[in-house]
Amino acid sequence: MASFRSRLVMLGSAAALAAGALAPAQLAGAHPAAAAAAYQWVALGDSYTAGVIEAAGDTFEVPRDGCQRTDRSYPQVIDRDLGALFDLTNVSCGAATIKNITSEVQQPIGLHVPPFSEDPDYPFPPVPPQSTAVESDTDVITVGVGGNTFGFADILSRCLELGDGTDGEGTPCRDDLAGTIPTRLDKVSSQYGEMLTALHKQAPRAKILAVGYPTVIPQDTATCHYGSLEQFGAVTPGDLDWLRKDVLEPLNKAIEKSAANHSAASFVDLYDSSRNNSVCDTKHWVDGLFTHLPDQPALVHPNAKGHRNAADRISAAMLDAIGVG
């Protein structure tokens, strides 16, 4: 993606120069940042947007609000690439559900995920629904959400529990939870569609970019090492296959279909571009249960390279949304 990144830098530099040229004659008294940024962009989403883990950078809120937005997450990467074209408001929050986007306050958890980690600042005050940051003049909305509504973290936890002591044999998690998947997918589809409708009503002129999830589990689960806490721990290879084919891929399809049903929305696919960069690949863009043992929990989240890939894909969609190609 080197040529694409060069293009971003050139576009950003050109926009900055243009804004600077206009400032003396047309923008006297305007705030420099406001003058340079022509398009209002709001980033909404869960931990796959916010960053959360240490491998996705440092948190930058002071004081912390518990949402764990990090400086190498894709909204912040795009902001550095295209900050002269877009004025970013990033209200993404780790552990957010779809309803936390539009209608329900959220109690952020920070890094408080016992037994993996405990956050000394927990509990945090509630944060309002993320859509309160969306205004009628918002031009672009990016939203990456759905996994927590689906309950993927709970499923993964159950797979770890059931796989323990199996020596990697069988599909105990599939056997226990397969019957719940259709209901979970229906819940995501219904709420996602309602969310897109609500966002469009709130910002009628905005282009909404529905961001999917990257590849987490490889096509060949034999490349995963059963018991490795830097991968999927005690989840069996058979259950990993099931999680990929019957859980994560259908979740992405549900989001894609919801976006296709809304004229103001389009889907941004991160899955295909990350197929060879799963948790179990040497050049992985998603970390496993831990980035490094024993003090860097990741709980299966994108690292900075994964966010860089996401930034490249989403940047292209944002430029297309404003007619810059």
Side-chain angles (χ1 to χ4, degrees):
M1 299 302 294
S3 61
F4 180 70
R5 291 176 203 163
S6 298
R7 176 170 163 248
L8 296 184
V9 172
M10 291 174 64
L11 282 166
S13 299
L17 287 170
L22 288 171
Q26 300 180 25
L27 299 171
H31 189 282
Y39 298 95
Q40 299 299 309
W41 163 36
V42 180
L44 314 173
D46 59 24
S47 55
Y48 273 58
T49 298
V52 172
I53 66 172
E54 187 174 342
D58 298 322
T59 56
F60 53 84
E61 287 88 3
V62 178
R64 292 177 63 212
D65 63 3
C67 284
Q68 289 301 114
R69 301 176 198 92
T70 61
D71 61 5
R72 299 180 74 184
S73 62
Y74 73 72
Q76 304 307 129
V77 173
I78 296 172
D79 190 42
R80 288 191 286 275
D81 287 343
L82 295 178
L85 289 173
F86 294 94
D87 185 9
L88 168 64
T89 301
N90 181 4
V91 290
S92 59
C93 193
T97 65
I98 295 172
K99 287 193 173 181
N100 291 143
I101 301 296
T102 56
S103 61
E104 294 183 357
V105 299
Q106 181 182 352
Q107 191 80 45
I109 62 173
L111 294 175
H112 193 72
V113 191
F116 296 99
S117 64
E118 295 189 10
D119 195 318
D121 296 327
Y122 181 86
F124 296 90
V127 295
Q130 294 180 30
S131 62
T132 58
V134 175
E135 300 182 352
S136 59
D137 64 348
T138 298
D139 297 293
V140 177
I141 300 169
T142 57
V143 55
V145 72
N148 294 310
T149 298
F150 187 87
F152 179 70
D154 293 335
I155 293 173
L156 183 62
S157 178
R158 184 64 173 156
C159 290
L160 284 164
E161 178 185 351
L162 293 172
D164 189 30
T166 64
D167 292 326
E169 299 297 325
T171 55
C173 198
R174 183 190 68 184
D175 299 343
D176 186 58
L177 295 178
T180 71
I181 301 306
T183 300
R184 292 172 185 267
L185 287 171
D186 287 345
K187 181 180 180 181
V188 170
S189 295
S190 174
Q191 291 189 16
Y192 209 99
E194 292 170 358
M195 175 191 71
L196 293 176
T197 297
L199 291 174
H200 178 59
K201 183 177 181 180
Q202 199 161 338
R205 77 183 196 189
K207 182 66 174 180
I208 305 170
L209 302 179
V211 180
Y213 290 95
T215 297
V216 173
I217 300 168
Q219 191 74 22
D220 181 9
T221 56
T223 62
C224 299
H225 303 295
Y226 174 77
S228 170
L229 291 177
E230 292 185 3
Q231 294 183 358
F232 293 102
V235 183
T236 69
D239 278 335
L240 287 174
D241 276 324
W242 170 69
L243 287 169
R244 185 190 73 252
K245 293 186 295 184
D246 294 348
V247 175
L248 294 174
E249 290 178 357
L251 173 61
N252 263 331
K253 289 297 182 183
I255 294 170
E256 182 177 14
K257 185 175 180 180
S258 292
N261 289 333
H262 285 74
S263 59
S266 59
F267 180 67
V268 181
D269 178 26
L270 303 183
Y271 198 85
D272 286 344
S273 62
S274 57
R275 281 188 183 274
N276 296 320
N277 303 97
S278 75
V279 168
C280 301
D281 287 302
T282 302
K283 296 181 179 179
H284 56 277
W285 293 348
V286 180
D287 289 355
L289 297 175
F290 282 81
T291 299
H292 298 296
L293 291 167
D295 59 346
Q296 285 192 39
L299 302 178
V300 190
H301 280 83
N303 55 36
K305 292 180 180 178
H307 281 282
R308 176 72 259 183
N309 177 66
D312 289 343
R313 306 296 162 178
I314 297 164
S315 291
M318 290 173 64
L319 292 172
D320 183 65
I322 64 171
V324 177

